[in-house]
Amino acid sequence: MIVTEVNRLFGLKYPIIQGGMAWISDGKLAAAVSNAGGLGVISAINEGPEALRREIETCRSLLRDGRLPFAVNIMLMSPLAAAAADIVVEMKVPVVITGAGLPTPYMKKWLAASIQVVPVAPSTGVAKMAARLGACAVVAEGGESGGHVGDLTTMVLTPQVADAVSIPVIAAGGIADGRGVAAALLLGAAGVQCGTCFLPAKECGVHANYKRKILEAKDIDTIVTGKRLGHPVRSLKNAFSRQFADMEYDAAVSDRQIEAFGSGALRRAALDGDVQNGSVMAGQCAAMLHEEKTAEQIIADMFREAQDALSAADRFLSKEEPHA
Amino acid sequence: MIFETVAKILGEYKDVDPATITRDATFASLGLDSLDTVEIVMSLEDAFGIEIDMEQSLQNVEDLVKLIEAKKA
């Protein structure tokens, strides 16, 4: 068994958190991940306050044990963030994951409600600030991940965040199998957050076309767009993302035109299944996923592989003299 | 005095002459993103011996100066 501070912190069988994916991470997927022994996460920015309340209720109704933890992910740049910040208190959500900034305005309220807060940090500075605000752990998210991304890679960011803060660090970005989990632990993380690898989960309600695109993806199939607008996003290459990139490099196109072009694109792909003209957000590790499995199989396979990888790692510690 | 120190720290961070940094310069115009802002806030905390909560959104140099003045008052 792999047991870390993250198991103890949230009461988990496996130290894995499901990534919050807008329009995709709903109550059903969150419950499946939590039932499988990880921390299931509902995205707060799908439709609006009523939809979030409904998804939290759905998650609770599907949990096999009412004491199992789950979380809500609040993307702080979203206009829905402030309403979501109140709903998690009102509905006694045990854990909140935040993304895109620091949750400073909400921290007092959440800590007073005994909510465990886990900000996603794309730099050591953000991680340090988060720890000071009272976060119980921090997600070090590298740019291999899907959706909104930072510049630093998981390989470089994780050990630096682990050195910068004394709270547990959860590595994210590019982790889709047991080798990734083992590597994350060796880099100083006490757990992992994975989004992309749950896209093909049987319990994931994303459109079948979206799942198919993920399962067909090759290593070089993702692209980062939106740097010009200040919030880069990684998605699969398709007609939409290629045109987005073209517009971005065209000085004659205004920022407003680009924003308008991108608006609603994720919803179009995730809900309507338009994987040509919508944004199929995914991390680089999409290429490492080959079949639809249950959330339970995904997590159990990943941690069995991680345990094997870690058990076999002492083969590198040779008693032989090094070759000259 | 506070503005001069802020300008000096910004100048060092961006490797530009502090004299070119004006009070109304936005972070965007200085080429600073949100992660840079966090780094700068931490440098300013060390310089002034204060803790700055990034509660309100900081847009320009003057916002930072006012925030520090309020903390020091």
Side-chain angles (χ1 to χ4, degrees), chain B residues 53-71:
Chain B
D53 297 329
M54 296 178 67
E55 187 104 31
Q56 52 279 78
S57 76
L58 300 166
Q59 299 298 332
N60 59 28
V61 176
E62 184 66 12
D63 289 346
L64 260 184
V65 172
K66 279 196 184 137
L67 194 63
I68 296 164
E69 275 169 359
K71 280 272 169 193

Side-chain angles (χ1 to χ4, degrees), chain A residues 93-108:
Chain A
V93 171
V95 185
V96 168
I97 319 277
T98 64
L102 280 161
T104 317
Y106 311 118
M107 279 309 278
K108 272 201 192 103

Side-chain angles (χ1 to χ4, degrees), chain A residues 104-105 122-123 125-126 129 132, chain B residues 38-39 41-42 45 51-52 55:
Chain A
T104 317
S123 73
V126 173
M129 285 280 192
R132 202 173 78 187
Chain B
V38 171
E39 296 301 317
V41 163
M42 290 197 301
E45 287 182 334
E51 275 202 7
I52 301 172
E55 187 104 31

Side-chain angles (χ1 to χ4, degrees), chain A residues 46-179:
Chain A
N46 298 343
E47 279 175 86
E50 282 321 304
L52 175 58
R53 283 201 180 87
R54 211 166 51 235
E55 294 306 329
I56 293 170
E57 273 163 17
T58 301
C59 177
R60 282 213 161 102
S61 71
L62 293 172
L63 288 178
R64 59 179 164 73
D65 178 337
R67 287 165 301 182
L68 284 175
F70 67 97
V72 166
N73 181 301
I74 303 178
M75 209 272 236
L76 298 166
M77 276 189 335
S78 162
L80 297 171
D86 287 332
I87 292 173
V88 294
V89 173
E90 174 200 318
M91 297 190 73
K92 301 191 184 332
V93 171
V95 185
V96 168
I97 319 277
T98 64
L102 280 161
T104 317
Y106 311 118
M107 279 309 278
K108 272 201 192 103
K109 178 160 60 185
W110 289 343
L111 295 177
S114 301
I115 292 175
Q116 293 179 296
V117 186
V118 186
V120 173
S123 73
T124 55
V126 173
K128 278 193 234 174
M129 285 280 192
R132 202 173 78 187
L133 288 170
C136 69
V138 69
V139 177
E141 185 176 275
E144 296 94 322
S145 55
H148 289 92
V149 291
D151 269 337
L152 297 174
T153 58
T154 305
M155 179 77 108
V156 169
L157 181 64
T158 307
Q160 293 189 77
V161 172
D163 287 345
V165 297
S166 54
I167 52 177
V169 175
I170 294 152
I175 302 164
D177 67 12
R179 292 168 297 185

Side-chain angles (χ1 to χ4, degrees), chain A residues 139-309:
Chain A
V139 177
E141 185 176 275
E144 296 94 322
S145 55
H148 289 92
V149 291
D151 269 337
L152 297 174
T153 58
T154 305
M155 179 77 108
V156 169
L157 181 64
T158 307
Q160 293 189 77
V161 172
D163 287 345
V165 297
S166 54
I167 52 177
V169 175
I170 294 152
I175 302 164
D177 67 12
R179 292 168 297 185
V181 173
L185 296 175
L186 295 177
L187 288 170
V192 294
Q193 179 187 274
C194 302
T196 305
C197 78
F198 288 109
L199 285 170
K202 287 211 165 85
E203 300 91 341
C204 176
V206 75
H207 197 283
N209 296 348
Y210 200 116
K211 280 192 189 182
R212 204 191 57 244
K213 281 288 269 188
I214 298 296
L215 293 174
E216 287 171 355
K218 299 189 306 292
D219 52 356
I220 55 169
D221 284 350
T222 71
I223 182 173
V224 174
T225 55
K227 271 207 162 177
R228 177 172 146 188
L229 302 173
H231 39 90
V233 165
R234 183 181 299 283
S235 64
L236 294 186
K237 290 175 186 166
N238 65 0
F240 168 80
S241 56
R242 287 200 178 91
Q243 193 180 337
F244 199 111
D246 287 345
M247 289 170 78
E248 214 174 342
Y249 286 100
D250 185 343
V253 180
S254 72
D255 286 1
R256 189 171 297 183
Q257 282 172 297
I258 301 176
E259 291 274 10
F261 179 71
S263 168
L266 175 60
R267 188 181 198 282
R268 213 148 52 228
L271 265 62
D272 308 339
D274 186 350
V275 294
Q276 280 80 46
N277 306 301
S279 177
V280 186
M281 293 188 192
Q284 289 180 334
C285 64
M288 295 162 70
L289 307 169
H290 308 296
E291 56 180 329
E292 207 180 3
K293 296 195 236 181
T294 63
E296 187 164 13
Q297 285 170 320
I298 291 168
I299 297 174
D301 286 354
M302 196 181 265
F303 279 84
R304 196 189 51 251
E305 285 168 21
Q307 180 147 353
D308 290 347

